[in-house]
Amino acid sequence: MELDHNSSKPLHVQAEELLRNLIDSEEYKSGKYLPNEVELSQRLNISRNTLRQAINKLVFEGLLIRKKGVGTKVVQKGIVSGVKNWLSFSQEMKMLGIEIRNFELHISWKRPNDEICNFFNLDKENPTKCIVLERVRGKKEYPFVYFISYFNPNIPLTGEEDFTRPLYELLENDYQITVKTSKEKISARLAGELIAEKLDIKAGDPILIRERFVYDTQQVPIEYNIGYYRADSFTYTIEAER
């Protein structure tokens, strides 16, 4: 368990890679606790803050779970279905032949919560505000999804961009950022008053929630996106081959 302190690769990234290998090892993959942070940071010869940055990333991805007063534990692996060749929302709708209408579009600067700070590796005590894009989109007849996107504050977005353009096309053409990887979580719940109003449904109607964690070609986190879908308008399919 050694890190290269002379490498150009940041220490927190090296620590993250080491922990990923540890998680996949026979000793830990069944759900064992990691050594405590003091011991582990000493063994790696890095500060606890640097180690915590790596751990936070893996906690955010659901690979580790932190229990206050107990320690950090590897999440026991279950059955996970992955989806390759993911598409942006605009591309998905274009493939389906659906003409999309923007019912609402809002730009603001907001202070991210702890979860988003972990994703972007921001200081949770005094985080940099992120540009937030909120859109209600759907068919011309009715809206069926409410999107909220937080962008990494290291991207020099001004808020003056034309966000009616396809988002990833804008990032690539204007800022030379090419997105490559999307990690997603799908869940279900009943709509509250705000979401119901946005989607033109009743409070208490079922909705699907799709969280997307988007990275560029260098695995730098670019966008945290959460979409609230009308359950009667969204089906998520997975194709798997053996």
Side-chain angles (χ1 to χ4, degrees), residues 10-114:
L11 289 172
H12 73 86
V13 174
Q14 292 186 55
E16 180 190 327
E17 292 173 351
L18 185 148
L19 290 173
R20 286 185 190 278
N21 291 333
L22 204 64
I23 287 168
D24 287 332
S25 69
E26 287 295 327
E27 182 181 358
Y28 283 91
K29 68 181 182 182
S30 61
K32 183 178 177 180
Y33 280 94
L34 296 179
N36 68 61
E37 288 187 6
V38 174
E39 178 187 345
L40 194 52
S41 61
Q42 288 174 348
R43 288 169 67 179
L44 297 176
N45 193 23
I46 57 177
S47 70
R48 288 183 67 185
N49 283 339
T50 300
L51 175 63
R52 204 168 284 138
Q53 196 173 353
I55 290 174
N56 284 343
K57 180 85 176 293
L58 300 177
V59 169
F60 185 82
E61 292 181 16
L63 299 176
L64 296 175
I65 184 168
R66 183 185 284 116
K67 295 186 177 181
K68 191 171 182 180
V70 180
T72 301
K73 182 180 180 182
V74 175
V75 174
Q76 189 168 358
K77 287 184 169 56
I79 299 171
V80 179
S81 295
V83 180
K84 293 187 176 180
N85 301 321
W86 66 281
L87 301 170
S88 70
F89 177 79
S90 298
Q91 290 171 324
E92 286 178 334
M93 296 303 104
K94 186 175 182 180
M95 284 187 65
L96 293 171
I98 297 174
E99 185 177 345
I100 289 300
R101 173 184 171 188
N102 283 321
F103 288 82
E104 293 183 30
L105 192 156
H106 307 288
I107 306 293
S108 59
W109 294 82
K110 292 185 179 178
R111 201 172 299 279
N113 62 25
D114 285 356

Side-chain angles (χ1 to χ4, degrees), residues 1-216:
M1 295 180 68
E2 293 183 358
L3 304 183
D4 183 357
H5 289 255
N6 296 316
S7 171
S8 59
K9 184 180 290 187
L11 289 172
H12 73 86
V13 174
Q14 292 186 55
E16 180 190 327
E17 292 173 351
L18 185 148
L19 290 173
R20 286 185 190 278
N21 291 333
L22 204 64
I23 287 168
D24 287 332
S25 69
E26 287 295 327
E27 182 181 358
Y28 283 91
K29 68 181 182 182
S30 61
K32 183 178 177 180
Y33 280 94
L34 296 179
N36 68 61
E37 288 187 6
V38 174
E39 178 187 345
L40 194 52
S41 61
Q42 288 174 348
R43 288 169 67 179
L44 297 176
N45 193 23
I46 57 177
S47 70
R48 288 183 67 185
N49 283 339
T50 300
L51 175 63
R52 204 168 284 138
Q53 196 173 353
I55 290 174
N56 284 343
K57 180 85 176 293
L58 300 177
V59 169
F60 185 82
E61 292 181 16
L63 299 176
L64 296 175
I65 184 168
R66 183 185 284 116
K67 295 186 177 181
K68 191 171 182 180
V70 180
T72 301
K73 182 180 180 182
V74 175
V75 174
Q76 189 168 358
K77 287 184 169 56
I79 299 171
V80 179
S81 295
V83 180
K84 293 187 176 180
N85 301 321
W86 66 281
L87 301 170
S88 70
F89 177 79
S90 298
Q91 290 171 324
E92 286 178 334
M93 296 303 104
K94 186 175 182 180
M95 284 187 65
L96 293 171
I98 297 174
E99 185 177 345
I100 289 300
R101 173 184 171 188
N102 283 321
F103 288 82
E104 293 183 30
L105 192 156
H106 307 288
I107 306 293
S108 59
W109 294 82
K110 292 185 179 178
R111 201 172 299 279
N113 62 25
D114 285 356
E115 184 181 20
I116 297 171
C117 285
N118 285 341
F119 179 52
F120 289 137
N121 290 322
L122 303 177
D123 179 4
K124 287 191 285 189
E125 297 300 320
N126 188 28
T128 305
K129 286 187 177 181
C130 299
I131 278 192
V132 181
L133 170 63
E134 297 180 66
R135 291 179 292 180
V136 178
R137 312 185 80 183
K139 302 177 181 179
K140 62 181 180 179
E141 295 86 4
Y142 61 86
F144 62 77
V145 60
Y146 170 39
F147 284 125
I148 305 174
S149 288
Y150 282 76
F151 296 97
N152 191 324
N154 289 325
I155 303 172
L157 293 166
T158 65
E160 301 299 322
E161 292 81 5
D162 179 8
F163 284 103
T164 61
R165 295 163 56 192
L167 178 58
Y168 300 139
E169 177 185 298
L170 182 155
L171 291 174
E172 185 165 1
N173 292 343
D174 295 7
Y175 297 101
Q176 292 71 57
I177 294 172
T178 302
V179 299
K180 181 181 181 182
T181 306
S182 173
K183 299 179 182 180
E184 300 192 10
K185 292 195 295 187
I186 306 290
S187 58
R189 77 175 192 212
L190 303 180
E193 294 287 348
L194 174 64
I195 303 299
E197 182 180 354
K198 296 284 187 185
L199 299 181
D200 195 19
I201 57 177
K202 296 177 182 177
D205 281 355
I207 58 172
L208 292 173
I209 303 169
R210 185 184 190 183
E211 289 181 86
R212 232 178 206 182
F213 313 104
V214 180
Y215 302 79
D216 71 5

